[in-house]
Amino acid sequence: MDAAAKRVHTFVRVKPTADFAQDMIKFGPDNKSIDIYVKKDARKGVVNNRQTDWSFRLDGVLHNTSQERAYETVAKKLVSEALIGYNGTIMCYGQTGAGKTYTMMGATAEYKHRGIIPRAIQQVFKATAHSVDPFVTVRISYLEIYNETLFDLLSTMTRNGTSDMQLAVVDCPQGVYIKGLSIHAVSHEEDALNLLFEARENKYYTSSDCYGETNRVITEHTLNKNSSRSHCIFTIYIESRFRAFSDGKCINSKINLIDLAGSERLSKTGSEGQVLKEATYINKSLSFLEQIIIALADPKRDHIPFRQSKLTHVLKDSLGGNCNTVLVANICGEAVHVEETLSSLRFATRMKWITTEPVINETYDQEGTVKALEKEIILLKQELAMHDSLVNRSLVTYDPLTDVQIAEIKSQVHKYLKGDVDEIDVSSF
């Protein structure tokens, strides 16, 4: 892959609103830049050096964009590359209520409004539907990080369940993985979507039976009736095994689709009690994430503190390793949210300077390699036998010598050494 493809790609998606501040937010003619203008506060006096305009350059600005167009712009290429062995990550970031969950999950009321996750599932299964070689296996998992604790959203256990298995982030030579996280094999698009939406579609399920999106923690506050109080990572694992010419070849990749909890100013949300505690954890983890981004963009930094939080530890490979990474910064267009909008755009700009090193995840298992070599030996023997037949050497064999043949060769050698014969005849061996 070229150097440009290794850079983290960043996009901005603007939430549609009737109160869009047209005099404050301007988009470039190429839809790759966004300018923010703020009027000077007359109450600050004549001498006021506070900055009033900002300009940000990104890979794309999505304004009044359909879900289909957003997916084609942000995710389609990344998913295509995952199908040939490259890991991929798509992450939605922004203030609470800016449309992150809508971008990632979409709305279930209308098919055309589905988000990145269901569309990625569809693209993967469409690509593998008629695949004979390679043979493709698809699996999924769904992780939630709530108040610095890991939860398995595809587990039938409740948060107060009796399972002894504690989820933990583990480093290994192949990258980070979540110990104890359930990974489910899915054979069709419907299987994956059922795991994701089953509880939402079935009103008779109790909380202990729920799957996926219904298990996620949400809370109502001033800015958002259904504010996500946790970071969620939906992962699609793709394994391709080639059987025709190289039995041992296997390609593994994964696509992390991340819906981050929204950053929020406590003075605006009016949070208190449990909601305040949740907001504190959210803002703290996002602050650590921003510190990681700043550190990764600094070439002089030798140590990157990924273990500061569960979120940054889980994202270690996505941000600093073997992965194609895309960020979608979701912003609100209202004037009242200009500070949060600027913060999200600054974060996206920093992400743009991070580079990763994606490579195809290709392995060969020993058993498969042995079988492939045995097959190659058989083919070579057949080719030599055909060649010998064409030059009238039909008696030549390339199988191991028998005990009788070895004894006959030894006998001829002894006769040669004694001078009984002038040459050794081994043409038939």
Side-chain angles (χ1 to χ4, degrees):
M1 300 181 69
D2 57 26
K6 294 180 181 179
R7 179 177 58 80
V8 172
H9 293 282
T10 57
F11 297 88
V12 171
R13 191 175 193 190
V14 185
K15 182 180 179 180
T17 175
D19 298 323
F20 179 76
Q22 296 182 353
D23 58 337
M24 183 179 295
I25 302 176
K26 305 289 184 182
F27 306 116
D30 58 354
N31 281 327
K32 290 188 177 182
S33 63
I34 181 169
D35 298 323
I36 308 292
Y37 302 93
V38 178
K39 292 181 180 180
K40 283 197 174 185
D41 189 348
R43 294 172 297 180
K44 300 292 183 180
V46 178
V47 180
N48 181 2
N49 295 322
R50 185 178 179 183
Q51 185 175 354
T52 58
D53 60 280
W54 298 262
S55 183
F56 302 92
R57 183 79 180 173
L58 304 124
D59 291 289
V61 177
L62 306 174
H63 183 223
N64 293 329
T65 306
S66 67
Q67 291 282 68
E68 180 180 6
R69 179 60 179 162
Y71 181 80
E72 289 179 352
T73 303
V74 170
K76 190 173 183 178
K77 181 181 178 183
L78 182 143
V79 174
S80 296
E81 292 186 345
L83 288 164
I84 61 173
Y86 290 101
N87 291 336
T89 293
I90 301 174
M91 180 166 50
C92 286
Y93 174 94
Q95 74 176 97
T96 185
K100 298 179 300 299
T101 300
Y102 178 73
T103 297
M104 191 57 70
M105 292 296 304
T108 57
E110 290 191 50
Y111 183 71
K112 67 179 181 179
H113 291 155
R114 65 197 190 284
I116 288 175
I117 291 178
R119 289 175 187 272
I121 292 172
Q122 181 185 58
Q123 183 179 346
V124 167
F125 278 103
K126 272 191 174 182
T128 61
H130 306 293
S131 177
V132 177
D133 193 19
F135 177 75
V136 181
T137 302
V138 180
R139 298 174 297 157
I140 63 172
S141 67
Y142 205 1
L143 174 72
E144 178 184 47
I145 305 175
Y146 172 68
N147 289 357
E148 275 300 286
T149 304
L150 305 177
F151 294 98
D152 185 351
L153 289 178
L154 295 184
S155 171
T156 56
M157 299 298 295
T158 64
R159 295 174 195 279
N160 298 318
T162 57
S163 175
D164 294 329
M165 177 60 73
Q166 295 290 326
L167 301 186
V169 188
V170 178
D171 287 289
C172 68
Q174 292 75 33
V176 296
Y177 74 97
I178 311 302
K179 182 180 179 181
L181 181 66
S182 64
I183 301 177
H184 302 252
V186 284
S187 301
H188 303 91
E189 178 185 348
E190 291 78 9
D191 297 338
L193 293 177
N194 284 340
L195 282 174
L196 194 59
F197 296 117
E198 188 169 345
R200 178 178 287 180
E201 295 171 357
N202 190 339
K203 296 179 182 179
Y204 299 100
Y205 273 26
T206 63
S207 61
S208 62
D209 294 321
C210 288
Y211 283 94
E213 191 61 17
T214 307
N215 271 345
R216 187 176 184 182
V217 178
I218 58 174
T219 297
E220 178 178 354
H221 59 57
T222 307
L223 297 181
N224 191 358
K225 283 188 176 182
N226 297 298
S227 174
S228 301
R229 313 308 291 168
S230 59
H231 311 297
C232 283
I233 304 173
F234 183 88
T235 304
I236 304 173
Y237 307 84
I238 306 169
E239 180 184 278
S240 304
R241 290 188 174 273
F242 293 80
R243 299 176 293 182
F245 299 103
S246 54
D247 296 302
K249 184 178 179 180
C250 180
I251 290 177
N252 293 280
S253 63
K254 62 181 180 179
I255 308 170
N256 290 322
L257 303 170
I258 305 169
D259 180 10
L260 296 174
S263 59
E264 57 190 57
R265 294 184 179 230
L266 302 182
S267 58
K268 286 188 177 183
T269 60
S271 301
E272 56 185 24
Q274 179 63 23
V275 180
L276 175 61
K277 178 183 176 182
E278 293 168 349
T280 302
Y281 273 110
I282 292 168
N283 288 342
K284 186 176 181 180
S285 64
L286 292 175
S287 176
F288 284 138
L289 176 60
E290 188 161 2
Q291 290 177 30
I292 293 294
I293 301 306
I294 293 172
L296 286 169
D298 184 358
K300 297 180 181 178
R301 287 288 294 268
D302 295 325
H303 173 67
I304 309 298
F306 284 108
R307 297 194 181 196
Q308 281 185 320
S309 71
K310 295 289 197 310
L311 175 64
T312 54
H313 198 179
V314 170
L315 295 181
K316 180 178 178 180
D317 295 337
S318 299
L319 297 174
N322 171 26
C323 193
N324 289 316
T325 302
V326 172
L327 172 76
V328 181
N330 294 84
I331 64 173
C332 297
E334 295 97 331
V336 68
H337 297 306
V338 66
E339 291 297 330
E340 290 83 355
T341 294
L342 286 170
S343 177
S344 296
L345 291 173
R346 290 189 189 104
F347 181 87
T349 302
R350 294 188 187 105
M351 279 283 288
K352 231 177 90 169
W353 299 112
I354 296 176
T355 57
T356 59
E357 298 180 359
V359 295
I360 292 179
N361 301 289
E362 187 175 88
T363 59
Y364 291 86
D365 60 82
Q366 293 183 352
E367 182 180 351
T369 302
V370 169
K371 289 181 179 179
L373 291 173
E374 288 175 346
K375 181 185 291 185
E376 185 176 0
I377 289 170
I378 292 172
L379 292 172
L380 289 172
K381 284 182 176 180
Q382 291 173 349
E383 185 178 342
L384 286 171
M386 182 177 294
H387 177 269
D388 292 336
S389 176
L390 293 174
V391 296
N392 296 321
R393 293 174 60 190
S394 57
L395 296 178
V396 177
T397 176
Y398 296 98
D399 292 323
L401 296 175
T402 64
D403 292 340
V404 174
Q405 290 173 323
I406 293 173
E408 176 62 26
I409 291 174
K410 286 182 178 180
S411 174
Q412 290 196 40
V413 170
H414 285 302
K415 289 178 181 180
Y416 176 80
L417 293 175
K418 290 179 180 180
D420 295 339
V421 295
D422 294 329
E423 60 182 21
I424 299 175
D425 181 15
V426 292
S427 61
S428 60
F429 297 105

